[in-house]
Amino acid sequence: MAKRNQAMDAEIAGTLMGDIGKFELLLVTHWKLIVAAAVAVVIVIGLVFGLNSCRKAADRKAANVLSAAVTEKQLEQALDQYPDNPAAWFARLRLARLYMNAGRFEDAVQQFRLLENSGAPREMLIRIRLDEAYLLENAGKIKEAAEQFDRYSRDSSLPAATRAEAGYSAGRLFAEQKMLDKAAASLQLAASLIPEIGSGNQEWCRLARFLMLNIEGGAYGPYKPAAPEKTVPEK
């Protein structure tokens, strides 16, 4: 039994030594190719790392330039230079608002259109919708702005805080046009969103309630609340 184990051990040792010998022979025969391949791998890793570092540095520089831009000229130059950087979304929105304040409504609309097609996040696109309605108001298109705000206030896919802002804005513009029934409907909708908003941004709901009190007090002319619809009892 001992002789059999010794023979088996010798056979295993011989096999291992044979494999080690083959490996050493492979190294001796092809060492140049192996070293060259190893060097190539190191070079590729270094290039990839270097490119990533350069790209990150370039992205940081672009983001810094876009974030630091304040005036129309600075924003226009920064956006011309770095139009595809994610920070360009916020810079473009700031530029659109500057155009709005300056009465350059067509230029503002153009920036909004570029934003809508830029892959900007949903939250920003929602903000753009409201800003476009404000743009209509600033352009003197009060009726169109009120109707657009009203549509957004009734869009259940939008966040409650956004709908409250839209509802208040619609009510405010309807009230200015003496369309008090529509104003009341928009304001009541905005005020009713408090439970959905929770303890967060309830400013628009409170403003809606305050404006509704003014309407009921006659600040915008005689107002008679619409009578509730009568329900016909089932027979």
Side-chain angles (χ1 to χ4, degrees):
M1 184 68 177
K3 290 182 179 180
R4 185 182 300 171
N5 289 339
Q6 289 176 357
M8 186 177 296
D9 290 343
E11 183 178 352
I12 292 173
T15 302
L16 289 175
M17 291 300 294
D19 290 341
I20 293 172
K22 292 176 183 177
F23 180 69
E24 290 177 346
L25 180 62
L26 179 65
L27 286 178
V28 171
T29 305
H30 303 289
W31 70 270
K32 291 184 178 179
L33 289 176
I34 294 172
V35 170
V39 171
V41 169
V42 171
I43 291 174
V44 169
I45 293 173
L47 287 174
V48 171
F49 180 78
L51 289 173
N52 285 336
S53 298
C54 291
R55 188 179 296 110
K56 289 180 180 178
D59 288 342
R60 283 195 298 270
K61 179 182 177 181
N64 290 335
V65 171
L66 289 162
S67 299
V70 177
T71 65
E72 285 185 13
K73 185 175 181 180
Q74 289 172 344
L75 286 165
E76 289 168 348
Q77 290 176 344
L79 287 167
D80 285 341
Q81 191 172 4
Y82 306 110
D84 299 323
N85 188 278
W89 297 331
F90 303 95
R92 201 172 294 284
L93 186 58
R94 295 200 305 275
L95 180 59
R97 289 173 176 170
L98 288 178
Y99 285 155
M100 286 172 59
N101 294 335
R104 298 172 58 182
F105 302 121
E106 291 184 2
D107 291 334
V109 169
Q110 183 181 9
Q111 295 303 314
F112 287 140
R113 296 295 173 266
L114 289 172
L115 274 170
E116 288 172 353
N117 298 316
S118 67
R122 180 176 180 271
E123 292 75 12
M124 180 171 285
L125 295 178
I126 290 172
R127 186 68 249 174
I128 290 169
R129 289 186 185 182
L130 292 180
D131 281 352
E132 286 183 324
Y134 285 120
L135 185 150
L136 289 173
E137 179 185 357
N138 291 341
K141 299 179 179 180
I142 305 301
K143 183 179 179 181
E144 293 88 335
E147 290 173 349
Q148 188 160 319
F149 278 127
D150 188 58
R151 283 198 303 274
Y152 294 152
S153 72
R154 302 176 190 283
D155 186 345
S156 60
S157 68
L158 299 179
T162 301
R163 294 168 59 201
E165 179 181 352
Y168 166 74
S169 298
R172 172 175 56 81
L173 295 180
F174 282 139
E176 290 178 7
Q177 300 172 82
K178 309 301 181 183
M179 303 170 67
L180 300 185
D181 288 337
K182 282 192 171 184
S186 295
L187 295 171
Q188 289 166 357
L189 175 59
S192 71
L193 293 170
I194 285 181
E196 291 187 47
I197 295 174
S199 60
N201 183 14
Q202 297 181 358
E203 175 188 0
W204 300 109
C205 302
R206 289 194 290 267
L207 288 172
R209 283 181 169 178
F210 180 76
L211 183 54
M212 189 64 215
L213 289 174
N214 285 340
I215 290 175
E216 291 174 343
Y220 292 87
Y223 169 69
K224 183 178 180 182
E229 294 183 3
K230 295 182 179 180
T231 56
V232 180
E234 295 182 1
K235 295 181 180 181

